[in-house]
Amino acid sequence: MEVKITNAQMTAIKKAGIKIGKVRARNLLKDEEGLWAYSAEDLTLILQIANATYRAGVPIMSDAKYDALYVKELESKDPKNEFLTSVEPEPVIESKTVELPVKMLSTEKAYSYEEIERWVKRLVKAAGEINLDLSELNIRVTPKLDGYAAYDDGVKLYTRGDGSRGQDITRAFDRGLTVAKGGVRGSGAGEIVIKKSYFDEVLSGYFENARNIQASIIAEKKVDERIQKALDEEACVFYPFDQLENWVGHYQTFLSNFQDILREIWDSVDYEIDGIIAEATNSSLKDYMGSTRKNHRWQIAYKVNTEITKVRVREVVPQTSRAGKLTPVAQFEPTKLSGARLSRATVHHYGMVKSKGVGKGALVELVRSGLVIPKIERVIESVDPDIPEECPSCGSHVVWDGDNLFCPNTTDCPAQAENTMIHFFKTLRNVDGFGPKVIEKIYQSGIKSIHEIYGLDVEKLMEIGFGEKTSENLIEQLLASRTLEINDWRFLAAFGVPRLGEGYCEKLLEHHNITDIFDLTIEDMINIDGFAEISATTIHEGLKSIEKEFQSIYELGFNLKETKWAVSKSDLLLSGELIVFTGSMEHGKRPDMEAEAKILGAKIGKSITSKTTLLVTGKSVGEKKIAAAADKGVRVLSENEYLQIIKKH
Ligand SMILES: [Zn+2]
């Protein structure tokens, strides 16, 4: 394969301190097929080159190739290689290197479910050693954003650098970078990311990938006007980790539902992600396990292996989902990818079919990341595509909503009704037998809702056309589904309200009773940590539409296990406060006091801004500083006064 290395790439390589000439670099990169013969040193060198160019926004290879070919090969050759285990340096920005306010560790990586299981075993073992009740061993799962890691202390923004020293890139905020979800400055570690949908729609025609844009936001030279617009429209944001969509649950639930959780978290954000991060939530366990020089022992990243291949599309077929959305499914010659034989893959939406020209004869790049269903990420040769005008299930005239085509027939569309039923029984998990074929047959007999299925008996099922044995089994299963204990959040998730997956259901029921959820306002939902406004609006609407059906099914009597209630952040003593600690403290070290305030719901700032609400002063704080704070309307407390307030509680 012919490899081209541009001058910009060569500059990035040199700046990163990698000593290699253009010719040798080209020769190294040229032989993808013959990688098995490469030494670990050569592979490391290629990966270093890839990193340097990637960080500079002029990547020499795609992320998929990086993971799927080179990292994999190095892992198989030398699994303990320093390169694979160390925090990756970010050498391209020309700013002064400064000490980071806190150490930013890297995350240990797992590439298989077995590695995740081993990690959980280590947690369980450590929990045993400190006599932690295993019922309290919870795991928090968040998406692993694939952006540009940075740390915001409220005043400056830093790159992660080597983990201890990074570079000052505060200019990104000066240029209008905002904090995701309307958050405030000073939330600590996070990633600079760009909305996937915005990139696809607005920027993909001008920039090769999101990487170039991230690099440009933090680089010294003036930003491109398109990128400035993306900043102004808040399509590029700094996303603090503690604001991320998340799933929290018991470690056993985490293990047994791993794939579902992965999928849910994967779909929870509109940003590029390359895996998930799982971590223990119990603070004494975290303290006990501590960290190595590079990683926290209580945290792990699950990175999914990515493989890519090219296929020629035979046909694109629409499928109506339970929410009425038409999913374009591309069919092609059976192709092997990540160990599976595939002959179909979904295209993101009909907007992409239309704008990128995915139709019969198109050549597309197929990507499969671990467990995730294969997706078409790139169109190499486009065609003039067919856009359906009718719902394939009920024949209704379909309508556009944003990038999606919808079947508006919510009451009588067989696909929507059948998929709703299938989803219900599949999500309950304690019922067998109600798969697509059985449901189709039941639906065709005129039964159009789940509560009517519960009204069936053996005779009626036999009338519909099932054998006696099958009918008896199905009735038995229905009974079991009501008598076996089931988590109330799972029961709620079974109704398939858009955006109300299992994780959100659990979160919702940590704050409200299942019988009260239909009375909640959008406001009530946003008050729950992790519910964004758009999700809350959709969920609110969705709940209204299932309310009647929910009540008729709920009244049948299910054996529901109530979710334990959580303390909401807004109930905490210091919620809403943005506190700055200054001077030396007597009660404890300043970082410890800050950590304590955070637990009580406060945000911590490093210097006084218009958003600061409280200044806590230790010893030897100048009058000037106090006066300046008072001028800004900040409440000033001595260390003792502050301790009085928090001790009362
Ligand atoms: Zn339809």
Side-chain angles (χ1 to χ4, degrees), residues 145-218:
L145 295 178
D146 185 18
Y148 201 101
Y151 189 94
D152 176 19
D153 68 1
V155 182
K156 283 183 179 162
L157 182 68
Y158 308 84
T159 64
R160 186 172 66 187
D162 64 3
S164 311
R165 297 175 66 80
Q167 280 154 332
D168 183 348
I169 49 163
T170 315
R171 63 174 85 91
F173 278 121
D174 301 337
R175 285 171 174 158
L177 183 71
T178 44
V179 180
K181 291 180 161 178
V184 294
R185 292 281 314 272
S187 318
E191 299 254 337
I192 297 171
V193 285
I194 175 156
K195 267 198 186 121
K196 219 160 48 176
S197 54
Y198 188 93
F199 180 82
D200 289 346
E201 281 157 30
V202 185
L203 299 171
S204 58
Y206 307 99
F207 300 92
E208 181 78 13
N209 53 37
R211 194 76 39 202
N212 311 46
I213 297 168
Q214 287 150 12
S216 157
I217 291 169
I218 58 176

Side-chain angles (χ1 to χ4, degrees), residues 320 391-396 407-409 413-416:
T320 310
C391 169
S393 180
C394 70
S396 299
C407 163
N409 180 7
C413 175
Q416 292 187 49

Side-chain angles (χ1 to χ4, degrees), residues 126-375:
E129 284 161 9
I130 58 166
N131 292 323
L132 178 73
D133 188 346
L134 283 185
S135 69
E136 284 172 37
L137 182 49
N138 286 332
I139 310 276
R140 177 177 189 257
V141 183
T142 51
K144 184 173 182 300
L145 295 178
D146 185 18
Y148 201 101
Y151 189 94
D152 176 19
D153 68 1
V155 182
K156 283 183 179 162
L157 182 68
Y158 308 84
T159 64
R160 186 172 66 187
D162 64 3
S164 311
R165 297 175 66 80
Q167 280 154 332
D168 183 348
I169 49 163
T170 315
R171 63 174 85 91
F173 278 121
D174 301 337
R175 285 171 174 158
L177 183 71
T178 44
V179 180
K181 291 180 161 178
V184 294
R185 292 281 314 272
S187 318
E191 299 254 337
I192 297 171
V193 285
I194 175 156
K195 267 198 186 121
K196 219 160 48 176
S197 54
Y198 188 93
F199 180 82
D200 289 346
E201 281 157 30
V202 185
L203 299 171
S204 58
Y206 307 99
F207 300 92
E208 181 78 13
N209 53 37
R211 194 76 39 202
N212 311 46
I213 297 168
Q214 287 150 12
S216 157
I217 291 169
I218 58 176
E220 246 166 332
K221 66 170 195 258
K222 205 174 167 301
V223 292
D224 179 282
E225 58 181 29
R226 289 192 184 88
I227 297 177
Q228 188 59 52
K229 193 154 173 272
L231 282 167
D232 297 342
E233 291 178 3
E234 300 188 11
C236 295
V237 292
F238 175 71
Y239 211 127
F241 291 141
D242 62 8
Q243 297 279 323
L244 279 171
E245 308 283 330
N246 60 74
W247 175 95
V248 181
H250 193 245
Y251 78 93
Q252 282 169 332
T253 319
F254 167 71
L255 285 180
S256 54
N257 291 352
F258 186 73
Q259 301 205 4
D260 289 336
I261 296 166
L262 177 63
R263 212 157 274 159
E264 185 183 322
I265 289 292
W266 203 274
D267 292 333
S268 69
V269 285
D270 183 16
Y271 300 102
E272 285 296 339
I273 66 176
D274 59 357
I276 53 165
I277 291 182
E279 59 190 40
T281 59
N282 184 285
S283 54
S284 42
L285 179 64
K286 280 157 74 171
D287 287 346
Y288 175 71
M289 294 183 80
S291 48
T292 65
R293 202 160 50 85
K294 286 155 190 159
N295 306 318
H296 294 295
R297 291 197 179 88
W298 41 266
Q299 186 184 53
I300 199 159
Y302 177 78
K303 270 199 88 170
V304 290
N305 283 321
T306 305
E307 285 191 28
I308 42 179
T309 188
K310 285 176 204 161
V311 292
R312 182 82 59 186
V313 175
R314 238 193 222 163
E315 198 185 356
V316 178
V317 183
Q319 268 180 11
T320 310
S321 73
R322 62 179 151 53
K325 189 163 88 186
L326 263 62
T327 308
V329 181
Q331 310 193 325
F332 39 81
E333 284 291 325
T335 304
K336 235 179 150 190
L337 193 62
S338 300
R341 269 176 91 76
L342 306 167
S343 54
R344 37 196 266 145
T346 56
V347 188
H348 291 287
H349 43 58
Y350 265 103
M352 179 171 171
V353 169
K354 197 172 161 188
S355 65
K356 298 277 164 87
V358 190
K360 189 178 171 186
L363 186 66
V364 297
E365 199 172 80
L366 195 61
V367 178
R368 185 169 199 252
S369 297
L371 303 165
V372 179
I373 322 156
K375 276 200 168 139

Side-chain angles (χ1 to χ4, degrees), residues 386-565:
D386 283 331
I387 305 293
E389 288 182 356
E390 288 169 359
C391 169
S393 180
C394 70
S396 299
H397 192 82
V398 291
V399 290
W400 283 100
D401 181 9
D403 271 326
N404 286 300
L405 275 178
F406 278 89
C407 163
N409 180 7
T410 50
T411 46
D412 274 321
C413 175
Q416 292 187 49
E418 286 172 26
N419 286 327
T420 302
M421 293 177 185
I422 292 164
H423 177 81
F424 181 83
F425 291 110
K426 200 170 125 198
T427 312
L428 288 188
R429 278 166 197 265
N430 55 14
V431 205
D432 280 328
F434 290 88
K437 288 229 165 73
V438 168
I439 291 288
E440 191 185 352
K441 205 161 173 177
I442 291 176
Y443 182 86
Q444 280 172 355
S445 78
I447 289 177
K448 306 205 164 166
S449 64
I450 298 157
H451 80 268
E452 286 175 87
I453 295 183
Y454 277 96
L456 291 169
D457 54 27
V458 175
E459 286 77 54
K460 279 191 204 133
L461 279 169
M462 287 172 66
E463 269 171 40
I464 290 171
F466 294 100
E468 190 174 351
K469 190 92 195 107
T470 309
S471 302
E472 280 168 4
N473 275 341
L474 288 174
I475 295 302
E476 218 167 85
Q477 289 292 325
L478 286 177
L479 186 63
S481 76
R482 294 200 285 117
T483 46
L484 293 175
E485 188 181 63
I486 174 176
N487 287 308
D488 56 359
W489 51 261
R490 186 184 296 290
F491 177 73
L492 179 59
F495 289 84
V497 171
R499 294 204 193 219
L500 197 54
E502 294 178 3
Y504 277 117
C505 285
E506 191 172 8
K507 204 157 269 174
L508 193 61
L509 298 181
E510 275 173 358
H511 297 88
H512 301 280
N513 260 325
I514 195 161
T515 44
D516 296 337
I517 52 168
F518 296 100
D519 299 327
L520 297 180
T521 62
I522 294 173
E523 242 338 61
D524 293 332
M525 290 184 205
I526 298 173
N527 283 335
I528 301 171
D529 204 23
F531 276 75
E533 192 174 338
I534 300 176
S535 307
T537 312
T538 312
I539 292 170
H540 187 259
E541 238 172 70
L543 282 172
K544 284 272 165 286
S545 72
I546 62 146
E547 184 171 1
K548 238 179 107 194
E549 176 73 346
F550 178 89
Q551 297 300 358
S552 13
I553 296 172
Y554 181 78
E555 279 162 17
L556 296 170
F558 280 76
N559 184 4
L560 298 184
K561 183 179 174 198
E562 263 182 57
T563 302
K564 257 211 247 161
W565 284 42

